[in-house]
């Protein structure tokens, strides 16, 4: 009964999605850029149907939009969406902070490890994409303190939309030391068990993130 099952094609689609996602997050494909099936298929060495499926997945993730008679293009992050993303992040991450004492030790250690990795990445002078990746890992580890895979998956989806601008944020700010210090403060408050203070620090942190994201989407690409 399973003779017709195949995995190769879906694996190829996943690889194409990963390649397109990386290009979006690095800023190689700017918001509003049309995603054309034929040129992408030729560049990636895959069938147009594979590209079509990959683009459908990006639309589902909110990273691309499909418009009648216009096709698919990279999603444009609007100011209202930025504010909504930051509100949602605060709800999810503050829930994680308040779960600190109930979380198991491996979950707490993942927060510490993410902080160490981010600090090391900043010290190495990594590119904005690597900074964004390690930066977001800290925030993901905060949500994971809830112990809920669904909440973590929701956070990943929400953050994915923001990543269309986050690499440019890190490129514009060029304040790695300040960012490391800000995140260390969050983790230090967690370790001390000062959860209310940590939540308030997160509120200030995300307000700054919202301001930076708005600046990034208003700044024309160089």
């Amino acid at each position: 009964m399973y003779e017709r099952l195949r995995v190769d094609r879906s694996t190829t689609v996943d690889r194409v999605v990963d390649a397109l996602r990386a290009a979006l997050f690095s800023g190689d494909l700017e918001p509003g850029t049309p995603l054309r099936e034929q040129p992408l298929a030729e560049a990636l060495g895959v069938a147009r149907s594979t590209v079509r499926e990959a683009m459908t997945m990006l639309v589902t993730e909110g990273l691309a939009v499909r418009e009648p008679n216009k096709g698919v293009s990279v999603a444009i992050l609007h100011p209202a969406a930025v504010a909504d993303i930051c509100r949602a992040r605060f709800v999810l991450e503050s829930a994680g902070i308040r779960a600190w004492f109930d979380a198991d030790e491996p979950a707490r250690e993942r927060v510490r490890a993410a902080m160490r990795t981010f600090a090391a990445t900043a010290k190495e002078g990594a590119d904005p994409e690597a900074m964004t990746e390690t930066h977001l890992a800290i925030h993901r580890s905060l949500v994971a303190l809830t112990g809920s895979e669904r909440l973590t998956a929701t956070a990943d989806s929400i953050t994915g939309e923001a990543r269309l601008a986050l690499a440019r944020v890190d490129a514009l700010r060029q304040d790695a030391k300040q960012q490391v210090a800000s995140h260390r403060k969050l983790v230090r408050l967690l370790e001390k068990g000062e959860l209310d203070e940590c939540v308030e620090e997160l509120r200030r942190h995300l307000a700054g993130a919202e301001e930076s994201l708005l600046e990034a989407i208003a700044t024309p690409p160089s």
Side-chain angles (χ1 to χ4, degrees):
M1 63 184 288
Y2 300 123
E3 293 82 0
R4 296 180 181 275
L5 290 177
R6 298 289 186 272
V7 296
D8 290 348
R9 190 160 175 262
S10 62
T11 301
T12 302
V13 171
D14 289 340
R15 287 201 298 267
V16 171
V17 170
D18 287 343
L20 291 175
R21 203 185 280 125
L24 266 59
F25 292 163
S26 67
D28 291 339
L29 291 174
E30 291 287 341
T33 301
L35 298 176
R36 307 297 187 197
E37 285 181 17
Q38 187 61 41
L40 284 171
E42 292 174 357
L44 295 168
V46 298
R48 288 183 64 173
S49 59
T50 300
V51 172
R52 192 177 306 123
E53 288 186 50
M55 291 195 299
T56 296
M57 292 177 67
L58 292 178
V59 170
T60 301
E61 293 177 8
L63 300 177
V65 293
R66 190 188 305 275
E67 298 181 79
N69 304 317
K70 290 185 178 181
V72 179
S73 59
V74 179
I76 296 173
L77 194 60
H78 296 288
V82 169
D84 197 34
I85 286 168
C86 290
R87 280 196 298 270
R89 286 183 61 190
F90 177 75
V91 170
L92 293 169
E93 293 175 29
S94 62
I97 288 171
R98 295 202 182 281
W100 175 257
F101 292 121
D102 295 323
D104 58 27
E105 186 56 29
R108 290 194 288 265
E109 181 55 33
R110 282 192 288 273
V111 175
R112 302 179 188 112
M115 183 65 245
R116 290 193 296 269
T117 301
F118 180 51
T121 302
K123 188 175 181 179
E124 292 165 3
D127 60 79
E129 188 178 359
M131 286 290 295
T132 298
E133 189 71 34
T134 54
H135 166 205
L136 290 178
I138 297 174
H139 291 276
R140 188 180 195 275
S141 71
L142 292 178
V143 180
L145 289 168
T146 62
S148 170
E149 293 182 3
R150 288 174 175 80
L151 289 180
T152 304
T154 299
D156 288 342
S157 175
I158 291 168
T159 304
E161 294 182 65
R163 283 194 63 171
L164 291 173
L166 278 171
R168 193 186 298 173
V169 167
D170 286 323
L172 288 171
R173 285 191 303 203
Q174 295 184 338
D175 59 350
K177 286 185 178 180
Q178 183 178 339
Q179 287 300 304
V180 168
S182 174
H183 288 81
R184 274 192 174 135
K185 185 175 183 180
L186 280 172
V187 176
R188 186 166 60 250
L189 288 169
L190 272 177
E191 295 279 21
K192 292 168 67 176
E194 297 178 0
L195 303 189
D196 288 341
E197 292 83 351
C198 190
V199 168
E200 287 308 307
E201 180 63 24
L202 175 68
R203 191 189 303 276
R204 289 188 290 271
H205 182 92
L206 291 177
E210 180 177 345
E211 184 178 336
S212 295
L213 280 167
L214 290 172
E215 179 188 358
I217 64 177
T219 302
S222 56

